[in-house]
Amino acid sequence: MTFDKAIRLIRENGMKRTPSREALLRLFASDGRYLSAADVRQALAYEHPAMSLDTIYRNLSSFAELGILEETELGGERKFRMHCDRDGHHHHFICMECGRTEELDLCPMDEAAGLLPGFTIEDHKFEVYGRCPDCAVAK
Ligand SMILES: [Zn+2]
Ligand SMILES: [Zn+2]
Ligand SMILES: [Zn+2]
């Protein structure tokens, strides 16, 4: 998801294009990692000191509803990143330390479906958590 595409989506959904929303989307467009509302506030504190955690949280939730951001829960905290642009079904590895994400070109459902004869599978989630090589070295 690019910044321009995200702006188009929020306007199509009747949300106003405000400087805070632009700043949020620019941050996510330039940073591929998963960020919590607190991470976002820290990153934007200098440029947008008046943006409250509450405002950030509300906007991130709306962006996630519109499919602009992807959301996950890490260590009991909601975290967000720009929606993956890649075509084709795939899954993600997520670094629990820095939020870095890597794509996994495999789907465990290919195997699991065989274990549920007669059942119709509508959807599934699969995420792998751990430490990226940089964070593994730092520990
Ligand atoms: Zn992806
Ligand atoms: Zn990492
Ligand atoms: Zn899958």
Side-chain angles (χ1 to χ4, degrees):
M1 176 81 58
T2 60
F3 175 79
D4 290 336
K5 194 171 164 196
I7 289 286
R8 204 162 63 233
L9 271 172
I10 71 166
R11 300 191 65 176
E12 278 170 12
N13 284 278
M15 279 171 93
K16 276 213 187 84
R17 174 177 184 160
T18 64
S20 345
R21 285 182 181 144
E22 278 186 27
L24 290 170
L25 293 172
R26 271 217 178 83
L27 174 69
F28 281 102
S30 69
D31 196 328
R33 295 173 306 139
Y34 268 102
L35 304 170
S36 66
D39 296 333
V40 170
R41 186 158 116 129
Q42 203 173 26
L44 298 179
Y46 182 73
E47 261 186 288
H48 298 269
M51 214 191 289
S52 73
L53 204 54
D54 202 49
T55 304
I56 293 171
Y57 206 77
R58 255 184 295 118
N59 276 301
L60 299 188
S61 298
S62 314
F63 294 162
E65 272 170 42
L66 296 183
I68 294 170
L69 298 180
E70 293 179 15
E71 185 183 340
T72 192
E73 203 174 303
L74 275 181
E77 220 183 355
R78 282 172 81 188
K79 297 209 175 200
F80 303 85
R81 80 188 275 260
M82 207 58 141
H83 204 282
C84 185
D85 246 341
R86 203 177 125 167
D87 288 336
H89 184 78
H90 64 278
H91 293 278
H92 290 142
F93 168 92
I94 301 164
C95 177
M96 296 166 75
E97 296 289 326
C98 71
R100 174 175 159 187
T101 303
E102 287 289 315
E103 316 207 316
L104 289 176
D105 272 313
L106 69 86
C107 177
M109 271 329 280
D110 296 344
E111 302 235 337
L115 303 173
L116 293 162
F119 291 82
T120 308
I121 294 154
E122 301 278 344
D123 200 5
H124 67 276
K125 282 185 176 173
F126 178 67
E127 279 180 344
V128 184
Y129 308 102
R131 289 197 173 83
C132 73
D134 292 344
C135 294
V137 168
K139 274 266 144 175

